[in-house]
Amino acid sequence: MSNKVKIGISIGDINGIGLEVILKTLANNAILDYCIPIVYGHTKVASYHRKALGLPDLNFHIAASASAANPKKANMINCWEEDVKIELGSSTEIGGKYALLSLEKATEDLNSGEIDALVTAPINKFNIQSDTFKFPGHTEYLQQRSGGADVLMFLISEELKIGVVTGHIPIKDVATSITKENIVQKLKMINDSLKKDFWIEKPKIAVLGLNPHAGDNGLLGMEEQDIIIPAIHEAFDKGIICFGPYPADGFFGNGTFKQFDAVLAMYHDQGLVPFKTIAFSTGVNYTAGLKVVRTSPDHGTGYDIAGKNLADPTSFIEAIFAATHIVKNRREQESLLRGQLRSGGKIIETATDVKDDAN
């Protein structure tokens, strides 16, 4: 039996660039040295995209299930049988319907352990809405389906790792959602993920302010004084090495972010704008806090370039590598802990600095 990581891939919106970046990624056989890719979609839809884009032929192994995947080929699980109308570059109800069918089957296999990780191609958050999908995005859907108590949208790259306290909510609701408890919880999740998933022994985390100039000592808002600073102190007392709050503009403009292993932003665009500016083509969206592993590229459906053979697969490739890396790190950590238990030794801090109480 192959011990390579099984990576499930949901195809996203069939009218976007999801299948283009998937096909371009899997056209390079070198990817098979690292993982077993399993695409949840349909060969006819993939063939349509391949022909429309003029891409080289890619022969999928048709697998009846993830357990039947061929470790030496790119695999496809056909999630439906009927013909599908594809309208490249358009948001349609059909595009949302089949994106959800792919995601549902892949998530089912992820939760049952049939695959080791899931890489999701971009969906349209509007046309995918249905009786079974009433979520702002992948993150919230996977949290509910995987039973996660809390999750963290964690954008990762070699240059920068950044999480957010509030994710897909209206900007008018951000300030009231910033609480000391939420900040401490997100700091704990970043800290745990850096240790468990990335093997950073003593991570150092920066915390951004909410207001311009981090409130200017209360002149431009009291959230820093009343909420964020007390949260930083509490987290530090719990063993989390964190500092701040830093004004977001200067923090990225003068390169201060390079001094930290990760950054906690207060809201979506405060974190994602600098992240995509710094690491747009290589960035990966990782959902930390789940028992399962899920990553995605940090771009959207790309309707404006769909069908034009212009989509860059780099972020999708990085998402596959990140998922594979995290799964292997978790496996090695579990192996170390099992070895300690078998030897009768006390569980102490390992190379990943994982503690049995985890605060």
Side-chain angles (χ1 to χ4, degrees):
M1 178 183 293
S2 173
N3 63 355
K4 287 195 294 184
V5 176
K6 285 186 176 180
I7 300 291
I9 299 171
S10 61
I11 62 172
D13 193 306
I14 60 173
N15 295 318
I17 62 172
L19 271 162
E20 178 178 344
V21 296
I22 290 169
L23 291 170
K24 287 179 175 179
T25 297
L26 299 183
N28 185 349
N29 286 332
I31 203 80
L32 300 176
D33 294 335
Y34 299 92
C35 66
I36 304 171
I38 305 170
V39 181
Y40 290 79
H42 200 283
T43 48
K44 288 184 179 179
V45 175
S47 180
Y48 180 96
H49 279 258
R50 183 187 65 76
K51 292 176 181 177
L53 295 163
L55 298 176
D57 195 12
L58 177 63
N59 294 317
F60 285 97
H61 169 73
I62 310 304
S65 65
S67 60
N70 186 332
K72 297 181 179 180
K73 297 195 70 174
N75 297 270
M76 175 75 76
I77 292 179
N78 287 329
C79 299
W80 57 83
E81 292 302 326
E82 66 273 15
D83 291 333
V84 177
K85 183 180 181 181
I86 300 173
E87 300 177 64
L88 292 175
S90 299
S91 173
T92 68
E93 184 179 341
I94 289 175
K97 173 184 176 180
Y98 289 95
L100 182 55
L101 286 176
S102 168
L103 179 61
E104 285 178 330
K105 176 57 179 171
T107 303
E108 179 184 321
D109 282 359
L110 179 67
N111 288 336
S112 66
E114 289 293 310
I115 54 178
D116 299 306
L118 172 61
V119 178
T120 58
I123 58 172
N124 179 310
K125 295 177 177 64
F126 175 77
N127 69 26
I128 199 173
Q129 298 298 319
S130 69
D131 290 340
T132 55
F133 191 101
K134 297 179 180 179
F135 303 93
H138 278 116
T139 302
E140 296 80 4
Y141 172 82
L142 288 164
Q143 177 184 0
Q144 197 264 0
R145 286 290 307 272
S146 301
D150 194 11
V151 293
L152 172 76
M153 185 187 297
F154 202 16
L155 284 296
I156 59 174
S157 71
E158 286 296 321
E159 300 89 350
L160 173 64
K161 292 179 176 64
I162 188 161
V164 294
V165 177
T166 60
H168 297 126
I169 64 172
I171 195 73
K172 66 181 179 64
D173 297 332
V174 168
T176 55
S177 301
I178 301 297
T179 66
K180 185 176 76 169
E181 293 74 21
N182 285 345
I183 293 170
V184 172
Q185 173 67 4
K186 298 302 183 183
L187 283 169
K188 180 182 182 301
M189 295 175 76
I190 289 178
N191 193 60
D192 289 347
S193 180
L194 291 173
K195 292 178 177 182
K196 177 180 179 181
D197 300 325
F198 300 98
W199 282 53
I200 298 174
E201 185 175 356
K202 293 183 178 179
K204 189 166 73 168
I205 306 167
V207 181
L208 301 182
L210 173 65
N211 296 296
H213 309 296
D216 249 350
N217 294 315
L219 182 65
L220 301 177
M222 292 301 297
E223 284 84 1
E224 285 75 15
Q225 303 296 317
D226 295 343
I227 299 171
I228 300 175
I229 291 174
I232 292 170
H233 290 163
E234 181 176 324
F236 206 97
D237 289 342
K238 292 177 179 288
I240 299 169
I241 305 172
C242 54
F243 303 93
Y246 294 94
D249 53 356
F251 180 82
F252 293 102
N254 62 23
T256 304
F257 71 92
K258 297 176 183 177
Q259 300 172 20
F260 295 89
D261 297 300
V263 180
L264 179 64
M266 292 298 110
Y267 58 94
H268 184 280
D269 283 14
Q270 187 188 52
L272 271 69
V273 168
F275 182 83
K276 291 191 176 186
T277 301
I278 293 166
F280 185 75
S281 64
T282 59
V284 173
N285 180 9
Y286 170 49
T287 306
L290 296 174
K291 293 180 180 178
V292 295
V293 175
R294 175 259 174 167
T295 64
S296 72
D298 72 344
H299 58 71
T301 54
Y303 288 140
D304 57 324
I305 60 171
K308 299 178 182 178
N309 199 8
L310 297 176
D312 183 352
T314 305
S315 181
F316 196 86
I317 293 169
E318 292 295 329
I320 288 181
F321 285 148
T324 303
H325 181 70
I326 291 167
V327 169
K328 288 183 175 179
N329 279 352
R330 289 188 178 189
R331 283 178 176 176
E332 188 167 350
Q333 181 188 109
E334 290 168 1
S335 178
L336 285 171
L337 292 174
R338 284 195 300 270
Q340 289 174 338
L341 289 171
R342 281 196 298 269
S343 67
K346 181 181 178 181
I347 297 179
I348 58 175
E349 294 183 16
T350 66
T352 54
D353 199 28
V354 177
K355 299 179 182 180
D356 56 349
D357 62 358
N359 293 323

